Amino acid sequence: MQEVVALDEDDLALAEALQRDPRAPWTAVAEVVGTNAVTASRRWERLRATGAAWVTGTPGPGSHHAQVLAYVDVTCLPSEKTRVAQELAGDAHALSVDITAGGRDLLLTVAAVDLPTLGSYLLERLDRVPGVTGTRARIATRLYAEGSTWRLGVLPANGAAGAAIPFVRPAVLDEVDRELMSALGEDGRASYAALALGTGISQPTARRRVDRLIGSGAVILRTEVAAPLAGLPVMVVLSADAPAGRLDDVASRLGRLRQVRLSATLAGTPCLLVTAWLPSLEEVHRFEQELVHQVPEADVVDRLVVLRSVKRMGRLLDAWGRATGTVRMDVWRQPVPSPP
């Protein structure tokens, strides 16, 4: 069994430097954390190899027709929760899978190329999984904060933490772009040489395409850590309402709270979803009190605590939040094969 070792301050500083710029050269990373490039690279390789931290690229709002995102509550037969979660974790469209306590059994983050494909996954795949007894999907209308904007908070602030996700002009993607996006999902720091080799294009072309994908928002790069090893073992999910005329402002302010990993508006009721990483269960109520104090227009109506994260943005996780494998986030393919 792999030894469980908590991340130390140097590890966390290195991870946060890469949260700021996931593809930064090691010389730049080393300057931020006060070491040399060789040491920074070696330390990162150790974190990556043990699954304690990693960089991934996820489909972003700039990927044309690949921004349909839904948060799905799932109820299961009592004895089937873990098995269902593990089965769904193998699905390309189920980007994240969490086992929860608080009225539902699972919370899924599901993405698809368009609404018909999303409907196909929900109706023809998810609803038919043995052991699933019910589902409720709420489609995201906008993300105000997500994993790429969240910071560990161990480095001095540089003004970038909590930056809002900008509106972008969607880019039309071809097959090569999609292959590059899938490859970045497996390793967001993959070299241009490796990306070129995997897609059959030249290295300069790979660089140019990757820069365009990132610059347009078609790909969002994020540096992840095993939350329990970073001292943040508790994930809480809050659903809230807000006045329609204040929804944009409320969601934006929620996204700036230091503990918040996700702030999204939804086409459903309740109309807001917020997730936060916390150091202990005692902090759950403190966090909610802070939220209500800072954003009094938000009316929290539901709470879930994550018992275990089985998958996060394409990464399969063990009980300590370490990455153990990757499922390609191929949101363009049909979730249910067509009959011959």
Side-chain angles (χ1 to χ4, degrees):
M1 184 176 178
Q2 192 179 57
E3 183 183 4
V4 177
V5 179
L7 301 178
D8 62 26
E9 288 190 9
D10 290 338
D11 294 332
L12 296 173
L14 178 61
E16 185 167 350
L18 288 173
Q19 286 179 333
R20 294 179 177 182
D21 187 353
R23 288 184 65 85
W26 290 120
T27 51
V29 174
E31 184 176 351
V32 172
V33 299
T35 186
N36 60 69
V38 173
T39 300
S41 175
R42 185 173 62 243
R43 181 178 283 268
W44 176 254
E45 180 55 30
R46 174 180 58 80
L47 294 176
R48 190 197 63 78
T50 59
W54 60 95
V55 176
T56 189
T58 65
S63 49
H64 188 54
H65 289 318
Q67 65 272 45
V68 181
L69 193 67
Y71 299 96
V72 186
D73 296 318
V74 181
T75 54
C76 307
L77 294 173
S79 61
E80 295 288 279
K81 298 176 189 176
T82 300
R83 186 199 60 76
V84 170
Q86 291 172 342
E87 177 177 342
L88 293 174
D91 290 355
H93 296 79
L95 304 187
S96 298
V97 179
D98 296 301
I99 302 175
T100 62
R104 267 83 67 209
D105 298 316
L106 308 178
L107 176 64
L108 272 57
T109 302
V110 177
V113 65
D114 51 30
L115 281 171
T117 306
L118 176 66
S120 177
Y121 180 78
L122 297 177
L123 300 173
E124 299 175 43
R125 164 57 178 161
L126 181 56
D127 283 350
R128 298 181 183 183
V129 173
V132 170
T133 59
T135 63
R136 181 186 71 154
R138 289 179 289 166
I139 297 173
T141 55
R142 185 181 173 189
L143 301 183
Y144 292 77
E146 48 82 54
S148 70
T149 62
W150 180 81
R151 301 291 182 264
L152 284 159
V154 297
L155 291 175
N158 67 347
I165 301 172
F167 282 116
V168 293
R169 184 175 183 177
V172 178
L173 309 177
D174 61 21
E175 290 298 325
V176 174
D177 290 326
R178 295 172 183 176
E179 278 299 310
L180 287 170
M181 290 175 67
S182 293
L184 289 169
E186 295 185 9
D187 181 5
R189 285 188 63 84
S191 68
Y192 294 111
L195 293 169
L197 182 63
T199 53
I201 58 178
S202 69
Q203 190 168 327
T205 300
R207 179 186 293 271
R208 184 172 64 252
R209 282 181 177 255
V210 168
D211 289 347
R212 178 175 63 85
L213 289 171
I214 295 172
S216 69
V219 169
I220 296 178
L221 294 176
R222 51 199 281 172
T223 300
E224 297 280 15
V225 296
L229 303 187
L232 298 166
V234 177
M235 176 178 169
V236 62
V237 183
L238 303 180
S239 294
D241 274 322
R246 302 294 306 277
L247 189 58
D248 181 77
D249 175 61
V250 169
S252 180
R253 287 156 59 199
L254 289 171
R256 291 195 291 270
L257 295 177
R258 59 187 174 83
Q259 306 96 327
V260 168
R261 288 261 307 181
L262 171 72
S263 174
T265 52
L266 310 174
T269 303
C271 58
L272 290 165
L273 190 73
V274 175
T275 68
W277 282 6
L278 305 172
S280 69
L281 285 170
E282 292 180 355
E283 292 297 317
V284 172
H285 290 301
R286 294 191 186 116
F287 166 66
E288 188 171 332
Q289 289 169 358
E290 180 183 349
L291 183 154
V292 172
H293 176 72
Q294 296 290 336
V295 193
E297 301 92 336
D299 179 22
V300 177
V301 297
D302 191 39
R303 304 153 187 83
L304 297 173
V305 173
V306 173
L307 299 176
R308 179 182 170 187
S309 291
V310 177
K311 182 184 185 184
R312 187 190 322 142
M313 287 297 154
R315 284 300 197 285
L316 302 175
L317 307 178
D318 68 10
W320 289 94
R322 296 173 298 196
T324 60
T326 304
V327 177
R328 278 201 163 200
M329 293 177 281
D330 187 357
V331 300
W332 300 275
R333 78 182 188 197
Q334 286 298 315
V336 180
S338 301

